[in-house]
Amino acid sequence: MRIWVDADACPGGIRDILFRAADRLRIALTLVANKPLRTPPSPWIRAIQVPAGFDAADERIAGEVMAGDLVITADIPLAAAVIDRGGLVLDPRGERLTGENIGERLALRGFMDELRSSGVQTGGPAPFSARDQKAFADQLDRLLQRHAAGSNGAKGGGPA
């Protein structure tokens, strides 16, 4: 398992949780963004800067993710692509996106896009909160424990 992060809009607190988990569990963590990112010194953590452009980070992640990898993103089309490739998806608020719920999320996203394009003010997501951060940490812990149990305690996927 490798962990990929759609890092352009990922909250700093979530990145910090991921940095600690990658080092503690020796799991490769890759942050992908169109701007430079600081990461702590670690053989398990790396950052990739992609060219500026619409969905450049999403395309890089979707092109490299493998079955069993975990992707952290709030981007619904990227989540759908990852699920199609056999990956796991967790959004920064701790919600698991799966084959069972991604269709509904894509439909809702499309509906909201239609409303916005017709001039309806739809607002945005609620501000990111400490409760969201805790929900993320709890769900990440469950996923990583399940991975460790399924791999009979084998660690990582090699350093980043």
Side-chain angles (χ1 to χ4, degrees):
M1 170 190 270
R2 297 178 76 88
I3 301 174
W4 296 87
V5 182
D6 181 7
D8 284 318
C10 185
I14 298 303
R15 287 194 304 261
D16 292 340
I17 290 168
L18 290 164
F19 293 154
R20 289 190 300 272
D23 272 336
R24 183 179 72 248
L25 299 172
R26 305 174 96 190
I27 294 177
L29 171 67
T30 303
L31 291 86
V32 183
N34 62 15
K35 61 187 176 214
L37 294 172
R38 277 201 242 181
T39 61
S42 168
W44 302 101
I45 301 168
R46 72 180 178 142
I48 297 173
Q49 184 177 352
V50 295
F54 188 70
D55 289 339
D58 298 353
E59 290 171 9
R60 178 71 181 261
I61 293 169
E64 293 198 31
V65 71
M66 298 174 69
D69 285 355
L70 172 61
V71 175
I72 311 303
T73 186
D75 185 276
I76 301 304
L78 172 58
V82 169
I83 291 167
D84 284 346
R85 293 196 62 169
L88 306 170
V89 180
L90 180 60
D91 85 2
R93 294 176 187 268
E95 181 183 0
R96 275 282 315 273
L97 299 173
T98 66
E100 289 77 40
N101 65 13
I102 195 65
E104 177 184 327
R105 294 293 301 270
L106 282 166
L108 179 59
R109 180 184 182 275
F111 176 69
M112 298 303 281
D113 283 348
E114 281 183 38
L115 285 176
R116 282 189 291 275
S117 68
S118 68
V120 174
Q121 295 294 322
T122 59
F128 189 77
S129 69
R131 184 176 179 183
D132 294 326
Q133 188 166 315
K134 179 169 180 358
F136 175 85
D138 291 346
Q139 187 66 262
L140 177 68
D141 189 49
R142 282 191 288 277
L143 285 170
L144 295 177
Q145 283 180 9
R146 206 172 303 145
H147 166 71
S151 61
N152 294 323
K155 300 279 184 174

